[in-house]
Amino acid sequence: MHVENLIDLNREEKVLYYLRRHWIIFFADLLMIIVLMAVPVGVFFMLNAILPNLLIGELTRPALLLLGSAYYLIIWLFFITSFVDYYLDAWVVTSDRIVNVEQRGLFARTISELDLARVQDVTSEVNGVLPSIFNYGNVYVQTAGQVERFDFEQIARPHDIRKHLLELIEQDQKRKAAEGIVKI
Amino acid sequence: MISFPFAVILLPYGLTVLFFALMATINVFHLIHYGATTGISFIITFLFLAGAVFILFFTWQELQAVNWNHMITLGLPTVGASSF
């Protein structure tokens, strides 16, 4: 996703992180899709063993074929919808702000921006077996803005992101304090 | 007694295909509209469209030999006077 589609970068502003959910989240959806796609194959073998006449009947065979085709189309649609939902969720961290892009289903999208100066607290967590093995988890950014908390969900290296965010916030505060002194 | 051609079962299937086409278009439009035009999204979109074409082509191929004009009759059997 191109950042310029989301925000207008200031002259000296740099994009430092472009974060998405860990790839394993989409992979889990993919595994479920593969299992669902195997269901008609299982049904085929079952019917072949129990009611083979259904598979060769003049009317039943096309009916089953159409049913199977419709089923696969719906599962395949679920695949692309899962990907779009996964891919369009993003968190952008620049030298000035944090942008939270949340795609909720197909017809709801929320974009929130937060100036680094309004960040009050940053917390990271990694919970569970798979998150510990693959090092992904959540980062919670407590704010003084309208949106009380920004949640970076299921991102890679959350503890590193937290540390770097805190460094960025400190640098941003020092820079703004220095600019404040210069203006006076 | 109701009689209808076997082709009637194509109607719900056709609706499913229409729904699929509409939602697929919306999904791909979303990716393009929100600038998610990266290599990965291109590959996934390509795989998705290729898979859809495969499913539809395979279905069409398998249904070539079907006699869609075959009449299906539904209803209770009638008992005529000659039965007694």
Side-chain angles (χ1 to χ4, degrees):
Chain A
M1 203 180 318
H2 303 296
V3 176
E4 50 270 17
N5 289 349
L6 295 171
I7 54 175
D8 292 324
L9 288 170
N10 300 326
R11 207 172 53 176
E12 289 171 4
E13 191 178 8
K14 289 177 200 159
V15 176
L16 300 168
Y17 287 109
Y18 197 100
L19 303 168
R20 284 197 175 89
R21 284 187 165 83
H22 198 278
W23 60 264
I24 202 163
I25 304 302
F26 178 61
F27 186 70
D29 284 344
L30 209 59
L31 280 180
M32 191 171 77
I33 286 161
I34 290 170
V35 168
L36 287 173
M37 291 188 104
V39 166
V41 176
V43 169
F44 170 80
F45 283 114
M46 222 165 60
L47 285 176
N48 202 29
I50 302 168
L51 296 163
N53 288 336
L54 278 183
L55 295 174
I56 53 173
E58 194 187 348
L59 300 179
T60 52
R61 185 174 181 275
L64 285 172
L65 199 67
L66 286 173
L67 193 65
S69 178
Y71 176 83
Y72 274 118
L73 285 174
I74 298 299
I75 297 301
W76 207 230
L77 193 60
F78 177 62
F79 161 69
I80 191 68
T81 307
S82 293
F83 175 74
V84 169
D85 198 32
Y86 159 80
Y87 208 66
L88 294 186
D89 272 355
W91 296 274
V92 183
V93 179
T94 74
S95 46
D96 277 347
R97 50 191 157 154
I98 300 170
V99 181
N100 178 10
V101 183
E102 215 177 312
Q103 183 76 30
R104 286 173 286 118
L106 277 184
F107 302 105
R109 185 170 171 88
T110 306
I111 301 178
S112 312
E113 276 186 40
L114 172 70
D115 197 299
L116 286 176
R118 297 178 76 85
V119 173
Q120 292 177 325
D121 180 55
V122 184
T123 309
S124 59
E125 68 172 11
V126 174
N127 280 332
V129 175
L130 277 178
S132 299
I133 293 170
F134 290 98
N135 193 19
Y136 69 89
N138 306 325
V139 174
Y140 304 114
V141 180
Q142 196 69 36
T143 83
Q146 189 179 351
V147 175
E148 285 181 7
R149 200 173 81 168
F150 273 35
D151 295 343
F152 293 26
E153 292 171 357
Q154 298 165 323
I155 59 168
R157 302 174 293 119
H159 298 316
D160 294 337
I161 301 293
R162 174 185 51 81
K163 279 184 215 165
H164 199 186
L165 265 177
L166 289 169
E167 285 166 10
L168 279 172
I169 291 162
E170 199 183 322
Q171 284 166 16
D172 186 64
Q173 285 170 348
K174 281 180 186 168
R175 194 177 70 243
K176 284 184 173 141
E179 283 169 7
I181 290 167
V182 168
K183 278 177 189 168
I184 290 167
Chain B
M1 299 269 270
I2 309 166
S3 288
F4 52 87
F6 187 53
V8 164
I9 70 165
L10 287 172
L11 276 172
Y13 181 73
L15 286 172
T16 307
V17 172
L18 265 172
F19 172 74
F20 171 84
L22 179 68
M23 296 304 284
T25 307
I26 290 171
N27 272 294
V28 174
F29 170 77
H30 264 70
L31 285 174
I32 296 167
H33 181 71
Y34 292 118
T37 49
T38 60
I40 290 173
S41 67
F42 174 79
I43 290 168
I44 297 286
T45 306
F46 176 79
L47 282 173
F48 167 72
L49 292 173
V53 165
F54 175 76
I55 292 168
L56 291 168
F57 178 76
F58 180 80
T59 306
W60 176 74
Q61 189 82 347
E62 289 294 310
L63 294 175
Q64 287 296 297
V66 176
N67 177 15
W68 297 107
N69 295 320
H70 185 109
M71 294 303 283
I72 297 178
T73 308
L74 295 176
L76 293 170
T78 53
V79 177
S82 59
S83 299
F84 294 103

